[in-house]
């Protein structure tokens, strides 16, 4: 199932996929049968960890390719949104109930890698798999992350989570631990009278008790403890964002932060200010943005072939032959599923390294046949990519270790209709005002806006809060806000 080097990783991938294959096949078969009974005429597509979808039949054979399909759909959505609004360079941040996940998108392309580890943490080596997975960093920080104080009096947030049951103390389901959600509620960042879109009555007494427990160990009051929880959570997430940007040679100031998930908009501005990004964009329907990303995905398959070749005169023909052979195989597979050859888009990547190195750096190869004249161009691209990531380059010979071919075809996407500015003043969406504690900037009287009433062209300034049934957007003092024609919230820092 994988045609790359590294025997242990290949074996591990095969074993893990075989382990889940019978269960996944039964589940997918029942899903297809149930949808057919409900009147679905076509066959459903299944989201993959490579930011594309694949046929149910194909996924049933190799289910390990679904391993990070949820986060992948969100990051693909961020890439598609970036193209839509003219922001091809995006730092994507997805904050849910238990985790925060982030990925970097450059020139509209999501980076895919094949050295991924499942269940890897500080105490477990985890399990390596060699399937195409979106390049992401994931940490245990979300709305349900538990705040705790260690034996040395130091405050921590996560990675333990209160989950959905019992959940944060404010859920009123018996939870006794203070969480990020409890801190946001206590500081007025979340509306206690509109908790979970008004579906849950916030148990502020339990939230106070939980926060006071943390505060007592720190020798402060509940409000100061809540501020500390927010600041620690934000710091953890900033470090994760740095791992996918600064640590890989990218300057966050060249990127736009797209924050989504139930908690992304609540922390996005604070994180963006810390990183110095151009602006923060909160997508329309941020709480279900990953589902939107799935609807924008293409039918996609990644092909890997290991083949050693030095980038010297005379080697171009052999490299071109490998790509051509793999492209023919991809077209044949697509044709067998009714996709015409002219509908299939190919992207070529090469896996290169300096001679005698162990690991490779992947480089996008521009369109066109590979000739001896183009080898210098490919080498230059490798040197540039390598230096950006590792801060230096070598004068050693460059060799190709293998190829990575991406074959994709559109199978039906949502078409987004842009609306013109309505001219409606932002006051039409104003619900009122309340005091909000911004943790670092202190308490400010914030304007509260109804997210369902925001119209294209509306503008306003922070401090402000936008309340949507699925999420809360925290806009800090001094931020300038505008609503675009697609309903996205642009926050200029």
């Amino acid at each position: 199932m994988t045609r790359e080097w590294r025997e242990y990783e290949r074996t591990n991938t095969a074993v893990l996929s075989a382990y889940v294959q019978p269960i996944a096949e039964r589940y997918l078969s029942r899903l297809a049968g149930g949808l057919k009974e409900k009147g679905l005429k076509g066959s459903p597509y299944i989201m993959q960890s490579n930011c594309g979808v694949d046929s149910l039949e194909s996924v049933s054979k190799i289910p390990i390719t679904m391993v990070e399909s949820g986060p992948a759909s969100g990051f693909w959505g961020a890439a598609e949104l970036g193209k839509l609004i003219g922001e091809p360079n995006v730092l994507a941040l997805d904050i849910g109930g238990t985790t925060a996940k982030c990925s970097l998108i450059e020139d509209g392309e999501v980076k895919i890698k094949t050295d991924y580890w499942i269940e890897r943490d500080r105490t477990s080596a985890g399990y390596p798999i060699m399937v195409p997975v979106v390049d992401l960093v994931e940490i245990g920080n979300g709305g349900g992350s538990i705040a705790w104080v260690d034996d040395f009096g130091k405050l921590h947030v996560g990675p333990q989570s209160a989950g959905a049951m019992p959940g944060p103390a404010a859920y009123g389901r018996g939870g006794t631990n203070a969480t990020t959600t409890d801190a946001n509620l206590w500081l007025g960042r979340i509306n206690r009278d509109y908790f979970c879109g008004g579906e849950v009555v916030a148990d502020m007494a339990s939230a106070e008790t939980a926060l006071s427990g943390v505060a007592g160990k720190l020798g402060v009051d509940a409000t100061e403890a809540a501020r500390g929880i927010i600041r620690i959570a934000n710091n953890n997430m900033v470090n994760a964002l740095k791992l996918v940007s600064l640590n890989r040679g990218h300057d966050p100031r060249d990127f736009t932060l797209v924050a989504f998930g139930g908690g992304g908009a609540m922390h996005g501005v604070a994180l963006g200010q810390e990183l110095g990004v151009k602006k923060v964009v909160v997508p329309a329907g941020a709480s279900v943005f990953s589902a939107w990303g799935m609807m924008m995905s293409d039918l996609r398959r990644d092909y890997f072939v290991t083949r050693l070749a030095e980038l010297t005169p005379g080697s171009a023909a052999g490299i071109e032959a490998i790509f051509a052979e793999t492209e023919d195989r991809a077209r044949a597979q697509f044709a067998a599923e009714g996709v015409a050859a002219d509908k299939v888009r190919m992207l070529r990547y090469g896996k290169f390294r300096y001679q005698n190195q162990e690991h490779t750096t992947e480089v996008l190869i521009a369109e066109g046949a590979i000739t001896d004249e183009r080898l210098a161009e490919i080498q230059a691209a490798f040197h540039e990519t390598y230096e950006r990531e590792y801060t230096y380059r070598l004068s050693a010979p460059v060799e190709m270790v293998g190829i990575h071919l991406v074959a994709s075809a559109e199978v039906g996407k949502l078409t987004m209709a842009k609306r013109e500015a309505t001219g409606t003043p932002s006051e039409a969406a104003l619900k009122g005002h309340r005091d909000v504690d911004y943790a670092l900037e202190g308490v400010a009287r914030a304007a509260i806006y109804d997210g369902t009433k925001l119209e294209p062209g509306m503008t306003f300034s922070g401090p402000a809060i936008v309340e949507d049934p699925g999420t809360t957007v925290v806009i800090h003092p001094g931020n300038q806000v505008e609503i675009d024609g697609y309903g996205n919230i642009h926050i200029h820092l």
Side-chain angles (χ1 to χ4, degrees), residues 9 19-20 36 53 80 90 99 110 139 148 194 211 217 275 298-299 311 314 318 327 352 359 412 434 449 472 475:
E9 288 84 350
Y19 177 71
V20 300
K36 191 173 183 179
V53 296
E80 289 293 298
V90 166
T99 60
V110 182
I139 62 169
W148 54 285
Y194 191 63
L211 288 167
K217 296 177 182 178
L275 291 167
D298 296 323
L299 177 63
L311 297 189
E327 287 172 351
F352 303 100
H359 296 280
R434 73 166 179 266
Y449 292 90
T472 297
I475 298 152

Side-chain angles (χ1 to χ4, degrees), residues 26-44:
R26 286 195 299 271
Y27 171 81
L28 292 171
S29 178
R30 289 198 303 269
L31 174 65
L35 291 172
K36 191 173 183 179
E37 289 177 7
K38 296 290 185 181
L40 181 70
K41 295 179 180 178
S43 178

Side-chain angles (χ1 to χ4, degrees), residues 194-480:
Y194 191 63
F195 190 36
C196 298
E199 295 181 4
V200 177
V201 177
D203 187 345
M204 296 307 297
S206 294
E208 182 178 12
T209 300
L211 288 167
S212 296
V214 173
K217 296 177 182 178
L218 296 171
V220 297
D221 60 21
T223 298
E224 196 59 41
R227 289 174 182 157
I229 291 169
I230 298 302
R231 290 167 65 183
I232 294 293
N234 285 346
N235 187 67
N236 292 341
M237 289 182 272
V238 162
N239 288 337
L241 286 162
K242 287 179 178 178
L243 288 175
V244 298
S245 56
L246 286 168
N247 282 32
R248 296 178 187 174
H250 298 280
D251 188 339
R253 292 173 296 183
D254 298 330
F255 290 77
T256 292
L257 180 66
V258 175
F260 53 96
M266 202 172 306
H267 299 268
V269 169
L271 304 180
Q273 290 181 159
E274 177 71 19
L275 291 167
V277 299
K278 294 192 297 182
K279 66 177 175 180
V280 175
V281 175
V282 178
S287 58
V288 290
F289 187 66
S290 291
W292 183 82
M294 290 184 191
M295 298 299 294
M296 300 297 289
S297 299
D298 296 323
L299 177 63
R300 169 175 170 153
R301 292 186 181 130
D302 292 67
Y303 300 85
F304 298 89
V305 179
T306 296
R307 194 71 58 86
L308 272 177
E310 292 187 15
L311 297 189
T312 54
S315 63
I319 296 172
E320 175 63 27
I322 299 167
F323 274 110
E325 178 188 339
T326 308
E327 287 172 351
D328 289 341
R329 182 159 60 94
R331 290 191 185 95
Q333 288 189 359
F334 276 78
E337 297 178 15
V339 180
D342 60 348
K343 300 293 184 183
V344 181
R345 175 177 175 247
M346 302 287 186
L347 277 179
R348 293 178 168 189
Y349 294 88
K351 289 178 171 286
F352 303 100
R353 68 183 181 188
Y354 288 113
Q355 204 170 57
N356 298 323
Q357 285 189 328
E358 177 67 16
H359 296 280
T360 61
T361 297
E362 188 169 272
V363 177
L364 175 65
I365 299 175
E367 291 184 10
I370 298 174
T371 62
D372 285 336
E373 290 73 22
R374 291 193 61 202
L375 291 181
E377 167 196 325
I378 294 171
Q379 285 197 59
F382 165 74
H383 287 305
E384 182 181 341
T385 304
Y386 188 94
E387 184 175 18
R388 184 177 62 193
E389 187 161 349
Y390 298 105
T391 72
Y392 67 93
R393 62 173 69 188
L394 302 176
S395 58
V398 178
E399 62 183 4
M400 186 186 82
V401 175
I403 69 164
H404 173 196
L405 177 72
V406 177
S408 60
E410 285 195 17
V411 289
K413 288 185 178 182
L414 292 174
T415 302
M416 304 300 294
K418 188 174 183 179
R419 298 165 57 200
E420 296 299 324
T422 62
T424 307
S426 60
E427 286 74 19
L430 189 64
K431 296 171 66 174
H433 295 80
R434 73 166 179 266
D435 289 338
V436 174
D437 194 321
Y438 286 89
L440 284 176
E441 296 98 326
V443 179
R445 191 72 174 168
I448 313 300
Y449 292 90
D450 185 340
T452 63
K453 294 182 180 179
L454 294 178
E455 296 284 346
M458 284 185 175
T459 61
F460 53 91
S461 303
I465 299 288
V466 176
E467 294 179 348
D468 182 84
T471 190
T472 297
V473 186
V474 176
I475 298 152
H476 291 233
N479 298 155
Q480 302 298 316

